[in-house]
Amino acid sequence: MKYGKLVLAVLSGMAIMAVVSTVRAQQPKLSALDYFEIEQLMYRYGQAIDTCSNNGYDYADLYTPDGTFTDNFTEEGFKKGGLVRAKGREALARAAGGGTLGCKDVGWKDWSHLMLNPVITATAGGGATGRVYAVAIGEKGPRDVQRFGGYQDVYVKTAAGWRIQSRTHVRAKAWSNPLLQSPDLN
């Protein structure tokens, strides 16, 4: 009887391991190179928006041709539950201060945008989602550091590599446990 329970326990353990193995095999996966390329996309975002390089088109080209930037950070955007500020290459170049705006009056010209603590998750169909904290240096002077919420992204792999399909600027505490959220969600 003693050995019967042991055999049953071993067989039960093996069955559980087989189920876990099957579930893991069915979960979407990204390669190490995919993670690296998506992180590079996040980091290039800060460089492109800070420099208005290629008249804002380097920023726009981080997105898919129909990519969107949504504001759920400002009072207006937050009250509306998200407000699409730019869709498509031309609008995205203007969102970076370029395109028809010519990089002449970029509101963050003395800033450095930093993307911190990226979290990337594979999705069914070979895509990915991500979120990253947005921190800016320089808004009120060279030593000023401020958190500006974060970004929630949807990424797709295109012939040109990974691109942002949609990026939503959110208030940082929106990701937190409701018990940890401050009244202004920032």
Side-chain angles (χ1 to χ4, degrees), residues 16-63:
I16 290 170
M17 289 174 63
V19 168
V20 167
S21 217
T22 301
V23 168
R24 282 187 181 153
Q26 294 172 349
Q27 291 176 338
K29 293 192 188 307
L30 295 171
S31 70
L33 182 59
D34 290 327
Y35 284 107
F36 175 77
E37 289 176 352
I38 293 169
E39 283 185 30
Q40 287 299 302
L41 185 64
M42 289 178 176
Y43 301 144
R44 283 197 317 268
Y45 179 94
Q47 295 281 329
I49 200 164
D50 287 345
T51 62
C52 199
S53 57
N54 191 29
N55 196 32
Y57 290 103
D58 286 343
Y59 171 84
D61 290 341
L62 298 173
Y63 291 81

Side-chain angles (χ1 to χ4, degrees), residues 79-97:
K79 284 179 184 173
K80 292 182 178 184
L83 179 61
V84 175
R85 296 282 187 188
K87 179 176 178 144
R89 188 169 190 257
E90 291 302 319
L92 288 162
R94 282 191 306 278

Side-chain angles (χ1 to χ4, degrees), residues 9-174:
V10 168
L11 291 175
S12 294
M14 290 173 63
I16 290 170
M17 289 174 63
V19 168
V20 167
S21 217
T22 301
V23 168
R24 282 187 181 153
Q26 294 172 349
Q27 291 176 338
K29 293 192 188 307
L30 295 171
S31 70
L33 182 59
D34 290 327
Y35 284 107
F36 175 77
E37 289 176 352
I38 293 169
E39 283 185 30
Q40 287 299 302
L41 185 64
M42 289 178 176
Y43 301 144
R44 283 197 317 268
Y45 179 94
Q47 295 281 329
I49 200 164
D50 287 345
T51 62
C52 199
S53 57
N54 191 29
N55 196 32
Y57 290 103
D58 286 343
Y59 171 84
D61 290 341
L62 298 173
Y63 291 81
T64 59
D66 64 343
T68 59
F69 179 86
T70 301
D71 166 16
N72 198 9
F73 181 81
T74 65
E75 287 303 316
E76 179 186 17
F78 188 75
K79 284 179 184 173
K80 292 182 178 184
L83 179 61
V84 175
R85 296 282 187 188
K87 179 176 178 144
R89 188 169 190 257
E90 291 302 319
L92 288 162
R94 282 191 306 278
T100 57
L101 301 176
C103 300
K104 293 177 186 158
D105 190 24
V106 178
W108 51 85
K109 71 179 184 73
D110 295 324
W111 297 17
S112 295
H113 288 78
L114 305 176
M115 306 299 121
L116 303 175
N117 299 340
V119 175
I120 301 163
T121 305
T123 60
T129 59
R131 63 184 195 205
V132 62
Y133 290 122
V135 173
I137 298 173
E139 181 193 19
K140 297 176 183 173
R143 293 191 178 111
D144 178 61
V145 178
Q146 292 189 53
R147 179 180 65 202
F148 280 90
Y151 298 114
Q152 289 181 186
D153 300 330
V154 175
Y155 305 104
V156 294
K157 194 166 192 176
T158 70
W162 284 97
R163 295 292 181 262
I164 301 168
Q165 184 173 42
S166 68
R167 172 162 270 196
T168 302
H169 190 186
V170 299
R171 296 177 175 197
K173 292 288 186 165

